Amino acid sequence: MITTTIKGIGAHEGQEVRVRGWLYNKREKGKIAFLILRDGTGYLQAVSFQPEAPPGAFAACQRVTQESSLTATGTIRRDERAPGGYEMALTSVAIHQIAQDYPISPKEHGPEFLLDHRHLWLRSSKQHALLRTRSEICQGIREFFHQRDFVLIDSPILTPAACEGTSTLFETDYFGDRAYLSQSGQLYLEPACLAFGKVYCFGPTFRAEKSKTRRHLTEFWMVEPEVAYAELPDLLELAEDLVVALVGRALERCGPDLKTLERDTAKLEKVRKPFPRMTYDQAAAILLRPESAARAKAQDAPPFQAGSDFGGFDETVLTEGLDRPVMITHYPSALKAFYMQPDQADPGRALCVDVLAPEGYGEIIGGSQRIHDYDLMLRRIEEHRLPVKAFQWYLDVRKYGSVPHGGFGMGIERFVAWIGGVHHLREAIPYPRTLNRLYP
Ligand code: 4AD
Ligand code: MG
């Protein structure tokens, strides 16, 4: 007999097949039992009618509990009312293990309880849909860069120096020396782009963020392209293309999952090129309007101060009324990382971009052109009190065939949370790590 996945069940109408999975839910009405099975690929309703069922099958349906593992055998028939459009008429049920008192029931649980049971929460339909969407997006990222001839350069996790400021470094002992968990693969991609032209890395990154916001994790995944001879306008175009391609892919391939998530996909359909662009100064002017200040006050958010970085509430204001992400460029250099190339026309400004997602999801991408002049880079490293010795190799990029180059980083969980329409980043990663959580 054929063993099939629930996803592939449509090919077996009229046949007797085997499905291996778990009991998601069960309804019994007198002499009839409805089991909702799940196998990771979908949900299938299996029915047993006592007078017709072979001996043992109906009793097994009565005995099986939520999340018990089982192999169900039965005949597949079309049924418009069943989830997925097919139903199984059970001929036998082999129970592998009875799950006793499964802790997550259909009733409401608090977020801390669910996070403590994250290893089981993964089985719930909404979490399942979101993590499948994440998987599809990650695959889309790899294909996007591969198709454009980017070379994957995996960057190290254990590093001797900081990339994005020293205040969020996780420190660890490295055989008597100090090492840090990588905040970004960027520094390692810059030399690689001089070797390969176009490169990217895609992996976990770490920030000892002491903030408890819904947008911060201490361990998150980032995809980072880096391109030789690229200047700021090239980076804006690449970022735009990446976001549009990934939104399109999610709409095309994650329809049922986005439906489970109750995502308003009409909003995502509008994400097309070109994205609106504005400079930091133009964005600041919007935030300095009296009505913006009044709104911040009404929401108990700190009011925007001229020259400062944008907070979460500011980002929401800046994307309001927009149906696609906005790209904000030319931030004051003082707000940004040490490596950013200054604007020749206005040296206090950096040739950088932050891409803010609509619907209040905030910054999904941060990037810039990099300083390619040796002396200026050395000066910046010193000004930022970074250990010059640990950056010697990085300075070599400016010594041997230096060219303008640049790239950006996109946080996967921020992107997935936006696409899935979930409020908090912690649901957009299988096992979240936050200020208060290292379990499970
Ligand atoms: O803006 P960031 O800090 O930029 C960099 O790390 C650059 N070195 C990237 C580059 O140019 N190659 O981070 C990039 C993105 C942010 O836009 C955000 O999406 C995400 O990474 N991110 C976080 N996501 C979750 N939790 C955090 N604590 C994050 N910090 C940054
Ligand atoms: Mg940033």
Side-chain angles (χ1 to χ4, degrees), residues 164 184 186 207 209 217 224 339 363-365 370 411:
E164 295 296 320
S184 155
Q186 179 198 324
R207 309 265 169 109
E209 299 272 7
L217 297 168
E224 299 179 80
Y339 51 70
E363 182 196 326
I364 50 171
I365 288 180
R370 325 299 189 191

Side-chain angles (χ1 to χ4, degrees), residues 163-164 168 183-187 189-190 201 205-209 211 214-226 336-337 339-340 353-355 362-368 370 406-415 425 433:
C163 179
E164 295 296 320
T168 61
Q183 297 168 307
S184 155
Q186 179 198 324
L187 302 188
L189 289 186
E190 291 187 47
C201 65
T205 45
F206 306 85
R207 309 265 169 109
E209 299 272 7
S211 51
R214 66 185 179 102
R215 291 177 184 167
H216 289 94
L217 297 168
T218 53
E219 176 175 324
F220 63 98
W221 280 61
M222 181 153 56
V223 59
E224 299 179 80
E226 191 74 27
K336 292 290 184 186
Y339 51 70
M340 292 192 183
V353 58
D354 275 9
V355 181
E363 182 196 326
I364 50 171
I365 288 180
S368 74
R370 325 299 189 191
F408 59 79
M410 184 173 87
I412 304 310
E413 293 74 20
R414 298 239 182 125
F415 191 84
L425 239 52
R433 298 287 174 250

Side-chain angles (χ1 to χ4, degrees), residues 113-357:
F113 177 87
L114 290 170
L115 287 163
D116 282 342
H117 294 85
R118 182 60 169 170
H119 52 296
L120 301 177
W121 193 23
L122 300 176
R123 304 182 188 191
S124 300
S125 59
K126 190 180 160 198
Q127 299 306 312
H128 193 259
L130 189 63
L131 292 176
R132 273 165 54 124
T133 302
R134 174 189 170 109
S135 167
E136 191 59 51
I137 288 168
C138 291
Q139 184 63 20
I141 288 170
R142 296 183 199 285
E143 286 178 21
F144 177 90
F145 286 112
H146 187 77
Q147 278 162 8
R148 290 175 178 233
D149 288 331
F150 281 69
V151 177
L152 175 68
I153 296 292
D154 301 307
S155 54
I157 304 274
L158 288 166
T159 65
C163 179
E164 295 296 320
T166 48
S167 63
T168 61
L169 282 173
F170 275 113
E171 195 178 308
T172 180
D173 172 69
Y174 196 76
F175 309 115
D177 273 338
R178 219 177 303 178
Y180 308 100
L181 299 186
S182 177
Q183 297 168 307
S184 155
Q186 179 198 324
L187 302 188
Y188 294 91
L189 289 186
E190 291 187 47
C193 86
L194 267 53
F196 297 91
K198 296 192 282 188
V199 295
Y200 76 106
C201 65
F202 187 9
T205 45
F206 306 85
R207 309 265 169 109
E209 299 272 7
K210 300 247 166 47
S211 51
K212 277 200 231 167
T213 83
R214 66 185 179 102
R215 291 177 184 167
H216 289 94
L217 297 168
T218 53
E219 176 175 324
F220 63 98
W221 280 61
M222 181 153 56
V223 59
E224 299 179 80
E226 191 74 27
V227 183
Y229 292 100
E231 301 191 19
L232 184 61
D234 306 310
L235 300 176
L236 300 186
E237 203 168 312
L238 184 63
E240 221 173 22
D241 285 346
L242 175 65
V243 171
V244 168
L246 294 178
V247 171
R249 184 173 175 118
L251 286 170
E252 199 184 300
R253 297 179 178 237
C254 304
D257 289 327
L258 296 177
K259 199 165 168 208
T260 301
L261 293 164
E262 295 171 23
R263 180 65 164 108
D264 178 0
T265 48
K267 293 214 166 95
L268 298 176
E269 305 270 5
K270 297 200 176 112
V271 178
R272 306 237 172 86
K273 281 174 76 162
F275 294 171
R277 293 157 195 221
M278 60 172 106
T279 63
Y280 170 90
D281 286 341
Q282 288 167 327
I286 293 173
L287 297 172
L288 288 169
R289 286 178 193 156
E291 61 267 30
S292 302
R295 285 204 30 220
K297 200 168 168 200
Q299 299 272 323
D300 238 358
F304 175 73
Q305 307 285 338
S308 68
D309 208 352
F310 304 135
F313 183 75
D314 301 324
E315 291 180 347
T316 303
V317 171
L318 291 172
T319 53
E320 227 158 38
L322 297 177
D323 58 5
R324 49 193 93 186
V326 56
M327 307 210 277
I328 303 181
T329 61
H330 299 87
Y331 283 67
S333 297
L335 297 179
K336 292 290 184 186
F338 72 96
Y339 51 70
M340 292 192 183
Q341 173 72 17
D343 182 9
Q344 224 174 10
D346 184 358
R349 307 280 148 167
L351 294 178
C352 66
V353 58
D354 275 9
V355 181
L356 309 185

